Amino acid sequence: MTEVRVFTLFERFWHWAQAAIIFGMLFTGLEIHGTYQLLGYDLAFSTHVVLAWCLIALTAFAIFWHLTTGEWRQYLPDYHGIWPMVLYYTYGIFSGEHKPYTTTPAAKHNPLQRLAYFGFKAAIAPALWLSGLILLFDAWWRGTVVDQVISFAAVAYVHVAATFAMMVFIIAHVYLAATTGHPWYAYLKSMITGYKEMD
Amino acid sequence: MRAGLCLLLLVIAPGLQAETWGGEPTEDGRPPVPASRLDSTADHHKFAELKVPLETGPQVTRACLKCHTEAARQVQESIHWTWDYHQPETGQRLGKRNIINNLCLMVPGNEPRCTSCHTGYGWEGPDYDFTLEENVDCLACHDTTGTYVKFPTGAGHPPLEDRTFQGELIQAPDLNHVARNVGETSRETCGACHFEGGGGDAVKHGDLDSSLLDPPRSVDVHMSPQGGDFSCSTCHEFSGHRQNASRYHINADPQAGIAIPGRRNERPSCESCHGHTPHDPRIHNKLNRHAEFIACQTCHVPELARGGLSTKTLWDWSTAGRLDEDGNPVVETNAEGRVIYHGNKGSMEWAEDYPPEYRWFNGNMRYTLPEETINPSQIVNINVPEGTPRAEGSVIWPFKIMMGRQPYDKVHQTLLPAKLFGPEEDAFWTGYDWDQALAAGVEAAREAGHEGLRFSGEYGFVETRMYWPVNHMVAPAEDSLGCAQCHGQDGRLEDLPGVYIPGRDRHPWIERAGWWAVGGVSLLVLLHGALRLILYRRERRAIWGR
C-alpha cells in the first residue's frame, strides 16, 4: 500500500478557507435574511461584507492557481461515468460493492463530483456573487434606469434562492465527501493531509 | 480697626463697581452692562421713543418702526404674517388661512382665538388690513423678559389689563418694560406658539413642546444646555424676517452640503451642518449610503413625544356636545391630567414615547383642501406626503399621525369648517349646535375667500388622517435606531411600500421551496447514512459475530 498526494497544500488551504468563509457567510446571511437573531443585525452584516471580500481575495488566488496549473480541467463535466456513480450511491454502496471510480492525482473527482462542483462553480457561486455584489453596491444604481430593469427585490430573491441551492449542495457534499470513502473518512483525511492510500 | 476698614470698603465698593462698569443703573433697576458686552450696538433703554407711555401693541410697533423702518414690511412678506403659502411644486394654495385640519378645523370664523398666534394685532375677520404696518407684533418674537403674552382669545393683542382665561390669571405686560428689553428670538418666544399649537402644550406636533425650553441631552442633543444649547433660530436662520423651513414644502434632499459663508445655504436641514456623510464609514459605509435615501430624522428621532409630555393622536369631534346639568361642557381627564373628553371638543387620545410612522417623502405635502371632494367611505387624508420609493429626491421620513373624526357635507362631499369660538349662539362652544356652527363656519370661510365652499345642511362625521413631519427632539447618537429595528419582522418599516428590506421581506415561494429542498436533502442524507450504518453493522456481525 502506497500513499499518493492528491491535494496540494494550496488546494487544501483553499478548500478549508473557502469552507470557513462560506459557513460564516451562510450563518450571517441567514441572520440578515431574518431567519434568526444571534449576532445582531449590525455585526452580522459587517461580518458578511468582510467575509465577502475575503472570499473574493481567496477566489482570485484560486482562479490564478487553477489557470496556471491547468487544474481547472478537473471540473470539466465527464458525462460518461455519471450513471455508474448514481447507481453506486443508490444501490451499490449498500451491498458492499466497490466504488466504480478511483481517485488519482490526475483525476481527483469522480464524474458525479465533477458535475456537482461544476454546477456549484458555474451556477450557484456566480449567482450568489453577482447578486451579492449588486446588492452591496445598491447605492450606485438606486434611482437610475437600472432600477427599472432589475429591481432590488429581484436581485435579493436571486441571492436568497442561490443560498438555498448552496445549502442543498453543502449538505449533500459534506455527507458524500466526508463519509463515503474507503474507509469512510478516506476523503476527509486526504483533504486534510493531502495524501490518499492507494491499493 | 479691622472693622473700620471693612466699613470703609463697604462704603466705597459700590462706587468702585459703578466706575468699573461705566454706566448708571438703568431705570428698570438693572445693573448696567459694559458697552463692549452688549449683543447689540443699540441700548433700547436709552431710546426716547420707548420712554413715552406705551399702552397698546400697535403703539409699541409704531415706536419700533421709527428706527426699524423696513421691519414691518419684511414681516408682512413672511408666512408668519400671511398664513398663506403658494406651494410651488404642487401648485396648491396652502397656509393656515387656506387649509382645513383635523384639530380646530379652520381659521375663518374663529379668528380671535386662532389669531392669538398671529404675528400681528387685531386679525378678527375677513376685513383685516394685512398692509397696516402698526398691526405687526414685534414683541411676540423679540420679547426677552418673558412677561409679554398675547391673550388667548384676543386676536393677537396682549391683555391690556389683568384677565383670566379658563381659570388662569393672565397678567397684562408692562409694554414699556418689554419694549426696552427687546432682543433676539428665543425658544420661549418661538415656543409660545409652536409648542402650544393645536390648543395646548405638546398637542399638535409630537416633536415640539415645552420640554424643549430646557431639555436633557437625551431629549434633544441640539437644544439641551448639556448639548449644543441651540435656540430655534440657530438652525432656523432668519434673513429679513423670513426663514426657509416650511412643513408644506420641506427640502427633503438638500444637496448644498455644509453651509459655508458665500455658498448656497439650505438651513435648517441637518445636512447644512453635518454634511452628507456624517457617519464613520467603518467597513461598508452603509450608514452614509442609507443617508442617501433615509432622512436623518428617521433613525435619530427614535420616538415621538420624548420630553415627558404626551401628544394628541386622535380628535373625535363627533362626540362633542355633552353638557352637565348646569349646562357646562362635560370634561374627563386621564391619569396624566390630559383631557380625554371635553363637551366642547369631543373625544381625544394621547400618546407619549411612541414610534412615528414612516413614508417616502420628497418634501411636498399635498392637502385635501376645503373645496376638494372627498370619499367619505374611507379615511380621508387631510394631507399626504408625496414621494416615490427609491426615486431621486425621495427619502424615508418619520411622521406623527393625527387621526380625526370631523364634520363633512354629505351632499357636496367636502370637509366642513365650523365656527367654534365666539359669544354668538352659532358658535359651537356657545350654542352646541352643529347645524348652526357649520353653516356659520362655511359662511365665514366664503367671506375669507373660499367661495367654492357650500353647506347643504346635511352633515356627517368622517374619519381623517393628518401627517405631521417629524424633525425635532433629535436623540444622542447612541439612542438612535439600530439596524434590526427596521431590518426585521414587525419592525418600524413594516408597512413601508415599494422597497425590499433585507430581514423584513422574503419571497414566499422561494422561502417555501428553499426550506423544503434543504429539509428534503437532509432527510435523504440521514436515511442514506442510517441505512448504510445498519447494513454495515449487520455485515460486521455476520463476519465477526459481534
Side-chain angles (χ1 to χ4, degrees), chain B residues 283-540:
Chain B
I283 292 154
H284 41 64
N285 203 21
K286 208 59 181 173
L287 289 181
N288 287 327
R289 292 299 190 195
H290 270 44
E292 293 166 6
F293 64 98
I294 298 174
C296 309
Q297 294 89 320
T298 295
C299 302
H300 291 281
V301 186
E303 267 93 32
L304 289 167
R306 301 196 304 115
L309 293 159
S310 56
T311 186
K312 195 175 283 189
T313 56
L314 174 125
W315 188 327
D316 181 357
W317 281 100
S318 70
T319 61
R322 262 170 59 206
L323 306 176
D324 61 20
E325 300 91 49
D326 304 328
N328 295 319
V330 172
V331 179
E332 291 163 9
T333 54
N334 62 11
E336 196 202 347
R338 288 295 202 181
V339 174
I340 52 171
Y341 180 82
H342 195 299
N344 281 2
K345 298 176 176 181
S347 312
M348 283 128 192
E349 284 175 13
W350 304 81
E352 190 179 340
D353 274 322
Y354 71 104
E357 301 264 332
Y358 303 88
R359 295 289 183 276
W360 288 98
F361 187 37
N362 62 16
N364 296 321
M365 274 291 190
R366 183 172 285 279
Y367 273 71
T368 301
L369 290 167
E371 290 87 349
E372 289 176 30
T373 49
I374 57 164
N375 178 359
S377 66
Q378 55 194 41
I379 297 175
V380 174
N381 284 317
I382 298 268
N383 66 348
V384 175
E386 294 194 330
T388 314
R390 286 174 71 86
E392 187 91 18
S394 286
V395 293
I396 299 168
W397 200 288
F399 294 90
K400 177 199 159 177
I401 303 293
M402 175 75 195
M403 296 303 295
R405 265 175 78 80
Q406 63 194 90
Y408 79 102
D409 190 301
K410 280 184 157 175
V411 176
H412 302 308
Q413 308 264 296
T414 58
L415 296 170
L416 286 173
K419 181 175 168 61
L420 302 167
F421 172 81
E424 306 87 0
E425 256 321 284
D426 60 2
F428 187 77
W429 293 343
T430 302
Y432 298 101
D433 179 359
W434 278 120
D435 289 290
Q436 286 193 58
L438 296 172
V442 169
E443 189 51 40
R446 287 171 61 87
E447 282 173 21
H450 295 274
E451 281 101 4
L453 209 55
R454 290 163 300 163
F455 181 46
S456 67
E458 280 185 58
Y459 68 92
F461 289 86
V462 62
E463 258 197 279
T464 58
R465 182 195 291 117
M466 203 168 176
Y467 288 88
W468 293 87
V470 174
N471 299 295
H472 307 97
M473 292 191 182
V474 174
E478 62 269 21
D479 295 338
S480 52
L481 293 189
C483 312
Q485 277 163 294
C486 298
H487 289 281
Q489 309 284 305
D490 303 322
R492 293 288 183 108
L493 300 183
E494 190 59 27
D495 302 323
L496 188 82
V499 65
Y500 179 97
I501 302 176
R504 180 192 76 163
D505 294 324
R506 48 200 55 181
H507 195 292
W509 297 354
I510 293 174
E511 207 71 11
R512 201 174 305 154
W515 287 118
W516 271 108
V518 168
V521 76
S522 303
L523 194 68
L524 208 63
V525 159
L526 281 173
L527 289 175
H528 197 272
L531 195 59
R532 279 173 58 208
L533 197 64
I534 291 164
L535 291 173
Y536 169 73
R537 285 200 171 148
R538 189 175 294 170
E539 187 186 9
R540 200 170 54 173

Side-chain angles (χ1 to χ4, degrees), chain A residues 90-157:
Chain A
T90 51
Y91 178 74
I93 194 169
F94 300 114
S95 57
E97 283 175 20
H98 276 280
K99 192 171 276 191
Y101 188 81
T102 307
T103 303
T104 65
K108 298 166 183 173
H109 310 305
N110 72 50
L112 200 60
Q113 273 179 306
R114 281 173 174 255
L115 186 66
Y117 298 167
F118 180 77
F120 179 76
K121 284 166 199 295
I124 299 174
L128 278 167
W129 277 60
L130 265 176
S131 58
L133 285 169
I134 293 171
L135 293 176
L136 189 60
F137 292 103
D138 158 60
W140 293 0
W141 54 280
R142 186 193 320 115
T144 68
V145 183
V146 183
D147 225 345
Q148 318 290 323
V149 184
I150 50 157
S151 75
F152 186 91
V155 183
Y157 294 148

Side-chain angles (χ1 to χ4, degrees), chain A residues 136-194:
Chain A
L136 189 60
F137 292 103
D138 158 60
W140 293 0
W141 54 280
R142 186 193 320 115
T144 68
V145 183
V146 183
D147 225 345
Q148 318 290 323
V149 184
I150 50 157
S151 75
F152 186 91
V155 183
Y157 294 148
V158 170
H159 201 66
V160 173
T163 303
F164 280 116
M166 195 194 61
M167 281 197 275
V168 169
F169 169 83
I170 288 174
I171 293 165
H173 169 68
V174 168
Y175 173 69
L176 292 174
T179 74
T180 64
H182 191 75
W184 63 271
Y185 52 82
Y187 297 144
L188 188 61
K189 189 184 158 198
S190 67
M191 192 41 94
I192 294 168
T193 64

Side-chain angles (χ1 to χ4, degrees), chain B residues 124-187:
Chain B
E124 291 184 348
D127 303 328
Y128 186 57
D129 186 352
F130 282 93
T131 63
L132 195 60
E133 296 196 3
E134 67 179 38
N135 275 349
V136 171
D137 182 351
C138 309
L139 302 180
C141 306
H142 293 289
D143 171 40
T144 65
T145 68
T147 62
Y148 182 77
V149 61
K150 288 156 90 74
F151 194 73
T153 59
H157 285 290
L160 302 182
E161 55 200 36
D162 293 356
R163 290 170 67 185
T164 54
F165 177 73
Q166 292 178 351
E168 190 189 338
L169 178 71
I170 295 175
Q171 286 184 315
D174 174 350
L175 293 178
N176 280 90
H177 174 64
V178 174
R180 282 195 288 263
N181 287 287
V182 288
E184 290 181 353
T185 61
S186 62
R187 0 174 152 207

